[in-house]
Amino acid sequence: MAEYWTIALLGCLSIPYSICASVELSAVKPSVLDGNVSSLPYSQPNHSASSGHHSSEGLSLFVMDYSHVKAPFEIVMWIMLASLAKLGFHLYGRLPAVVPESCLLILVGLLVGGAMYKVWQQPPPVLSTDVFFLFLLPPIVLDAGYFLPIRIFFDNLGSILCYAVLGTFWNVFGIGVSLYGICQVQSFKLSDVSLLQTLLFGSLIAAVDPVAVLSVFEEIHVNEQLHILVFGESLLNDAVTVVLYKLFKAFCKMQVISLEDVLVGISQFFIVGFGGVAVGIFFGLITALTTRFTGKIQVIEPLFVFLYSYLSYLTSEVFHYSGIMAIIACAVTMKQYVEFNISQKSHITVKYFMKMCSSVSETLIFIFLGVSTVRDNHEWSWPFVCFTVFFCLLWRALGVLFLTAILNKLRINTVTFKDQFIIAYGGLRGAICFSLVFLLDDFPRKRLFITSTIVVILFTVFIQGMTIKPLVELLEVKRTGKPTNVSEEIHSRLLDHIVAGIEDISGHWGHHYWKDKFEYYNKKYLKRILVRQNKQSKSSIVHFYEKLEKKHAVESPDSVVLTDLPREQRQLETSPLQLQPGELDTIKSILSHSLHHIRRKNFLTNIYYLGDLSIFHKQAPAYSRHTLQPDVNSDEMKEIQFRRHSCQSRQDNQDNNKLNDTNQIYSGCTRQKQLTRSCTIGPEYKSDQLHPTEATHPADRSIHRGDHPPSWTTDNQQDKPSISFEK
Amino acid sequence: MGSRASTLLRDEEIEEIKKETGFSHSQITRLYSRFTSLDKGENGTLSREDFQRIPELAINPLGDRIINAFFSDGEDQVNFRAFMRTLAHFRPIEDNEKGKDPSSSEPLNSRNNKLLFAFRLYDLDKDDKISREELLQVLRMMVGVNISDEQLGSIADRTIQEADQDGDSAISFPEFVKVLEKVDVEQKMSIRFLH
């Protein structure tokens, strides 16, 4: 069944393409994808007209004016192709489980590229480097940075930096030098490739690609530590890649390379890295400051988030700093403050839009990779290509082994051999290498380099991407284990507090000493400036609680009893413990907001980010790109349903005891361990049957905001989970 | 400071502590110097005030309870042996220890003992059960003032419900262990004491 749908979709897709193709046959090769949207060098007389211009024969019924909308039309068609392809895969039930999406997308790209080649008799458009770096890459990195699990990232920062910096250096020089050695072998006929050229090639091929890693790793659900090691490395090695690439490229042009050039190169590395981070932090703080004042115009809040992060990327590119590090630093910085400032709806918008953009970007990148593979000027050299692939694998494995051996002496959570294998095996190359190789200056062997890059990318994405999941299962790598219940959460916190305390007693200063200092100054100064004043309270809890109330009101019948009926009675009536997802979320978010900051050292699998409003970290993988939490905000239908339901059940008997108890609550006796609904009816219940009880509870007033309908009265209290909201 | 430490700690003592706790020689010496630096009264034992002088412990919500864990019943001074015995719970479990024969007594840093340490932090009255009130107390300490009593109460109730299997509305130690079976306690409750 699904297959028929896919075929139908692809058939629909081919229609607009054939239209384009027929039009294009009479026009020029599409130029937008070469990064140059300038006007066509020539155009057919009957297409040169703008829509208002008529030919001399008079009016015509049917006008085709494609050139007018050519550029946007093609962009939209590509994006449409990407989205439909993605849609198609998910209709095929079993396929995404076996073959990672990236592979399928490249295949689609290959097909499309092949089709275009047949139709136009010339190579299809190639992924322009500018388009890639300026438009396709930033959304992905922004998404990654915004949803980065900060705690575990910083816990493992040392190791990540080690892998990213030292590992990449190792790989670059290893691959470069050994390839040069291969080229020296006379029988391979490669001796015109110089050392600098192989080093340059090494610098672009050695870097692990975040896009590829993300797309593959999110399907295999390894434990968070492993994930963050590989992923963090792929993000942070951008600085090294940028520096080395530019360095070797410049060296290739220079006649004489002196020592001071090398020193400049090394110092450039620090500047690029730290400069990028500084730019990112700067823009992050500005965003936070700006969102502080957007209380009146909440509609454009998401826009600020996106604009400033993109601006940080572009600014750092201006100075040739690492754009990726800038955008990550910006996202990480801005998240803590912006979360407090923007409204709930803006928050959701940001989340969804970011994921949408990054998803589309990623799809497009892979499709373009496929399309660009179809070219007619490949230069193939068996030894070079095979040895490139071989050396990539070899040096990565050696590097990981070597570095981990050193790191394990310094870490407490040792990286096991299985983890090391996955780290080495998961070093996928992707579109960044591809774009960089196109940016190379023209020299005789450039096409060889391009071909080998493509082969390496295809190899890693296909072979490694497809086999990594079975390998993970085979090796029984530790998977993500998140706490599924409140007990685990609470006890884990307790353990963390204990460990922090014992660390203090034993005089063990970890790097959390600085983290705590930072938190202290953050709270004292930065938050005062950057976060809206009235938002520093627990309004987030109010939101969550309200959402929970609405949700549970709708799903009332079989909820868990959480009231404090007398003990015996409760045990009789307690249904099997059903953890309502919304309720657990609420509890988790309450805990994550209110628990004190602790100094942890060994925060491994249970990830709750204190002080973060990360309601989507409940998901099993840290980055679940395609599955967002179902939005807890009920929609209109549920609201209506709830009202109807509450109208009906108001006819039910009210337990007298219950009413007395609630009366007691509202008489201000806070020591009561009653659990009742917050927006409950109070003594005014009987008189106020049809209107929201706005006046009952003082706390209710704080809930009522412009965009939230007031909560409705409740009904039968016995079988509702209730966490009352009372100060 | 270092020389003073080593003269006050005899080798036989170090050996005994090593056997009992599993710390290495250098770790014991280092921890001894930490002990003496905390010991302002210079009488070879630590009192509660000595612990409370540690600033970070003051802001740790469970600070007082952790301090209490060092002191055995009725005593108000901690000597070095007791100090090390408590810290030994947090020694990382080494791989070569995992295969030890089960007949020898359980090392102090076994998973069970680590969990027992945590359990005792809840269980103030030492009746081997975490009652609702004890849980509430700890929750209140951890959570601060932002949460109402009712909410906290419901969280406590949920916690007990999840763990309670024999229906006594309290968490016994085996139930506690069962709840945390999926949590990687060995890694969580380990501190890398520098070599």
Side-chain angles (χ1 to χ4, degrees), chain A residues 1 13 16 66 83 234 309 311 320 368 399 446 587 618:
Chain A
M1 183 62 180
L13 194 58
Y66 180 66
S83 318
S234 70
S309 6
L311 206 56
H320 279 213
F368 274 134
K446 181 174 173 182
I587 294 178
K618 302 179 278 286

Side-chain angles (χ1 to χ4, degrees), chain B residues 88-89 91 93 97 106-116 185-186:
Chain B
H89 285 105
R91 201 166 61 81
I93 299 181
E97 286 178 346
E106 214 175 345
L108 279 170
N109 64 341
S110 70
R111 184 193 165 95
N112 215 33
N113 279 328
K114 286 186 202 275
L115 285 172
L116 198 58
V185 175
E186 292 94 330

Side-chain angles (χ1 to χ4, degrees), chain A residues 409-414 478 481-488 490-509 513 516 538 541 545 560-564 567 570-571 574 577-580 583-584 586-587 590-591 593-599 601-606 665 669-676 722-727, chain B residues 30-31 34 38 46 51 54-63 66-67 70 83 86-87 90 92 95 114-115 117-119 121-122 130 132-133 135-136 138-164 167-169 171 176 178-195:
Chain A
K409 302 240 179 350
L410 305 171
R411 288 167 57 98
I412 193 170
N413 303 326
T414 56
K478 204 153 100 173
K482 56 179 181 65
T484 47
N485 49 25
V486 176
S487 312
E488 277 187 22
I490 291 182
H491 298 317
S492 308
R493 303 271 196 177
L494 179 95
L495 295 182
D496 293 326
H497 278 297
I498 296 177
V499 169
I502 298 285
E503 277 185 359
D504 294 324
I505 292 178
S506 70
H508 178 72
W509 297 127
Y513 177 64
D516 275 356
K538 17 236 180 325
I541 297 182
Y545 175 65
V560 179
V561 180
L562 255 197
T563 59
D564 66 332
R567 271 221 174 139
R570 178 163 37 144
Q571 261 149 19
T574 305
L577 204 58
Q578 290 256 312
L579 197 58
Q580 298 278 350
E583 191 169 286
L584 181 58
T586 309
I587 294 178
I590 288 175
L591 289 176
H593 289 108
S594 318
L595 290 189
H596 290 302
H597 292 263
I598 49 177
R599 296 171 3 96
K601 185 81 180 162
N602 313 314
F603 214 56
L604 189 54
T605 49
N606 303 325
I665 290 263
C669 174
T670 53
R671 276 289 139 198
Q672 272 286 10
K673 298 267 199 288
Q674 289 281 349
L675 300 168
T676 57
S722 27
I723 300 179
S724 84
F725 178 69
E726 201 188 42
K727 305 233 173 63
Chain B
R30 196 202 148 261
L31 286 169
R34 172 70 179 168
L38 288 173
L46 294 178
F51 279 107
I54 305 174
E56 288 75 17
L57 215 52
I59 56 172
N60 189 320
L62 299 172
I66 298 175
I67 295 174
F70 280 87
F83 184 72
T86 316
L87 286 182
F90 294 90
D95 285 327
K114 286 186 202 275
L115 285 172
F117 187 86
F119 188 80
L121 241 73
Y122 276 115
I130 304 177
R132 184 173 183 268
E133 283 65 40
L135 189 60
L136 262 181
V138 173
L139 270 179
R140 174 54 73 193
M141 290 191 321
M142 287 205 287
V143 160
V145 297
N146 288 346
I147 308 296
S148 70
D149 285 338
E150 289 74 21
Q151 278 177 319
L152 217 55
S154 71
I155 294 177
D157 287 328
R158 164 58 49 82
T159 312
I160 293 185
Q161 273 179 323
E162 281 169 358
D164 197 14
D168 57 355
S169 303
I171 307 180
F176 186 69
K178 181 128 196 351
V179 166
L180 287 179
E181 64 185 354
K182 280 197 235 130
V183 175
D184 193 357
V185 175
E186 292 94 330
Q187 293 275 29
K188 242 181 177 343
M189 283 185 81
S190 298
I191 299 178
R192 180 173 52 91
F193 295 100
L194 300 166
H195 294 289

Side-chain angles (χ1 to χ4, degrees), chain B residues 24-64:
Chain B
S24 74
H25 196 106
S26 50
Q27 284 173 332
I28 297 176
T29 339
R30 196 202 148 261
L31 286 169
Y32 187 74
S33 66
R34 172 70 179 168
F35 181 83
T36 40
S37 74
L38 288 173
D39 182 15
K40 297 288 189 282
E42 288 182 21
N43 49 0
T45 59
L46 294 178
S47 66
R48 284 205 165 77
E49 288 74 33
D50 291 324
F51 279 107
Q52 281 156 1
R53 234 176 264 123
I54 305 174
E56 288 75 17
L57 215 52
I59 56 172
N60 189 320
L62 299 172
D64 284 332

Side-chain angles (χ1 to χ4, degrees), chain A residues 528-546:
Chain A
R528 277 221 207 114
I529 305 175
L530 298 174
V531 177
R532 253 181 252 171
Q533 290 314 314
N534 59 348
K535 289 298 211 83
Q536 285 174 18
S537 55
K538 17 236 180 325
S539 56
S540 47
I541 297 182
V542 176
H543 284 300
F544 286 125
Y545 175 65
E546 200 181 24

Side-chain angles (χ1 to χ4, degrees), chain A residues 441-456:
Chain A
D441 301 324
D442 252 332
F443 62 95
R445 288 296 191 167
K446 181 174 173 182
R447 294 176 305 152
L448 175 62
F449 282 5
I450 294 179
T451 310
S452 2
T453 313
I454 293 181
V455 171
V456 169

